[in-house]
Amino acid sequence: MSEESLLRKYNVAAPRYTSYPTVPYWENDDFTAGQWQGRLVAAYQQHKSEGISLYIHLPFCESLCTYCGCNTRITKNHGVELPYIDALLKEWEMYCTLLGERPKIKEIHLGGGTPTFFSAENLKDLLQANAGAAQFHENPACSFEGHPDNTTEAHLQVLYNLGFRRVSFGIQDFDPKVQFMINRYQTPAQVQAITKLARKIGYQSINFDLIYGLPGQNMKGLEETIREAIGIRPDRIAFYSYAHVPWVKAGQRHFTESDIPQGDEKFALYQRGREMLVTAGYEEIGMDHFALKTDNLYIAYTENKLHRNFMGYTDQYTHILLGLGVSSISDCGTSFAQNAKTVEEYKQCINNGLLAVQKGHLLTEEDLYIRKHILNLMCQGNTYFDTEIPAAITERLQPMLNDGLLTIKDGEIKIQPKGRTFMRNVCMALDNRLWQKQPQTQLFSAAI
């Protein structure tokens, strides 16, 4: 079967599997913040020697990027910075009190929104309070997301001085027409200049985010974007499918379905972009990610140490991920917890001395079992079952087996090279909760 035919067959709505169960299938009715805290403390007592991962969500942006699916707050009022930082620090202290000590941080990531919306001095104050040098585990991984249009030398230097060695720049596309439609602007010259500056300061890993399937995007424009990107030679490139979810993000209603590459046209963009990246020396890792062989992400992949959590792919593994800030998600291995989704609700909870957890899920034994196998598939491309693969899973995998996307032998499911494009589909076959309760409304973006 041709790749185009496979696309038509498997390009269905599918989760991205940064967790299992996926958020729409969390059983919130059986969840309380008290249960989350109990499971977190138990997990920390068992695994504290390995350190924790820390995600800090900084939601503010000065303008709305209309393609964006993140939790953001649009404002030009920088007076919001200090009150929000105050809430973050209070939340951190609550977790330290709950855990009985200040946990060692093995990994920290600043996400958004636009973390570089905040001044360098305010970021310094935030991080010195909850991630000072004494707080770090051995060889920590510290990274942040920067907008090429507003990341300054001061941002880069202050964060470098605090231990940050990786920065991810959101580019998406250099085509002026696409930038106009998605309301996000930066030139190749800006990106080249800030990348050069980051390398001069000492950053060891630089990532570019690129997206295919954006409104107004065409083959010529995408090829030029990728040529410009690989010419700057970042260590990693994340090449994502645009997730069109206007029922979730109203900003995506600024353009229509007719503006967005669909079907074969979108798949051709993906194929060409992937081909250009691989030809340029970038190794494909997991799903959507490409890295040079010198980058830690590639090294972790070759050593079967690649991990995936709510922050995406990482070369660090911890049992505990604490999410601070509005809408952040935490994970202690046996439970997920998500904070309030508006800045006002979040700050109200924190300022009243309460954790802002508003929803979550307590993982069952079956959840843990399925989660392990989905993680293996997403990170390694294969997974082993100690006992016979459940019949229901084998049955769901059969069409993909017939199409040569995977093999099944001696308890191993292994994704084949032509099946890597359809990794989300393979994982769906293991997703018992999705099959037990088929969605009545659209929950996820298309697989490709």
Side-chain angles (χ1 to χ4, degrees), residues 220-268:
K220 181 180 178 182
L222 178 75
E223 289 179 339
E224 184 59 28
T225 290
I226 293 181
R227 272 193 290 269
E228 293 280 6
I230 61 181
I232 301 171
R233 207 63 178 171
D235 303 275
R236 305 178 189 177
I237 292 178
F239 187 47
Y240 294 111
S241 168
Y242 166 60
H244 191 56
V245 287
W247 60 90
V248 177
K249 304 303 292 185
Q252 295 183 353
R253 298 193 181 107
H254 285 259
F255 34 81
T256 68
E257 297 283 342
S258 63
D259 297 314
I260 303 168
Q262 303 280 352
D264 290 353
E265 182 184 7
K266 184 179 181 183
F267 192 51

Side-chain angles (χ1 to χ4, degrees), residues 5 8 43 58 74 78 96 107 115 118 128 133-134 141 152 176 217 236 243 255 272 274 277 287 315 355 357 396 441:
S5 297
R8 297 186 192 102
L58 302 170
I74 310 303
H78 285 262
C96 291
E107 178 183 28
F118 287 72
Q128 280 185 324
T152 64
Q217 196 175 60
R236 305 178 189 177
F255 34 81
R272 179 60 178 142
R274 181 187 183 192
L277 293 172
M287 181 183 74
D315 59 352
L355 290 176
V357 172
R396 295 174 207 142
T441 59

Side-chain angles (χ1 to χ4, degrees), residues 110 114-116 144-151 167-171 184:
L110 308 182
T114 307
T116 45
F144 74 97
E145 296 168 12
H147 193 321
D149 192 41
N150 70 6
T151 300
V167 56
S168 179
F169 291 122
I171 294 170
R184 185 181 182 92

Side-chain angles (χ1 to χ4, degrees), residues 332-353:
C332 70
T334 61
S335 179
F336 302 134
Q338 184 172 28
N339 281 348
K341 291 187 176 182
T342 69
V343 173
E344 291 77 14
E345 289 178 291
Y346 167 74
K347 288 168 58 179
Q348 182 179 12
C349 288
I350 298 299
N351 291 330
N352 286 335

Side-chain angles (χ1 to χ4, degrees), residues 204-317:
Q204 297 165 357
S205 180
I206 296 173
N207 175 78
F208 290 174
D209 282 350
L210 305 177
I211 296 179
Y212 65 91
L214 288 168
Q217 196 175 60
N218 57 41
M219 184 65 75
K220 181 180 178 182
L222 178 75
E223 289 179 339
E224 184 59 28
T225 290
I226 293 181
R227 272 193 290 269
E228 293 280 6
I230 61 181
I232 301 171
R233 207 63 178 171
D235 303 275
R236 305 178 189 177
I237 292 178
F239 187 47
Y240 294 111
S241 168
Y242 166 60
H244 191 56
V245 287
W247 60 90
V248 177
K249 304 303 292 185
Q252 295 183 353
R253 298 193 181 107
H254 285 259
F255 34 81
T256 68
E257 297 283 342
S258 63
D259 297 314
I260 303 168
Q262 303 280 352
D264 290 353
E265 182 184 7
K266 184 179 181 183
F267 192 51
L269 293 171
Y270 163 74
Q271 287 178 304
R272 179 60 178 142
R274 181 187 183 192
E275 176 190 27
M276 291 179 72
L277 293 172
V278 171
T279 301
Y282 288 88
E283 298 289 331
E284 189 171 11
I285 296 170
M287 181 183 74
D288 305 328
H289 286 65
F290 299 80
L292 297 177
K293 289 184 177 181
T294 51
D295 190 80
N296 284 344
L297 201 69
Y298 174 76
I299 295 170
Y301 174 67
T302 60
E303 295 177 351
N304 283 334
K305 295 179 180 178
L306 191 66
H307 182 53
R308 185 169 173 83
N309 57 27
F310 286 105
M311 298 185 288
Y313 284 108
T314 173
D315 59 352
Q316 301 287 324
Y317 177 80

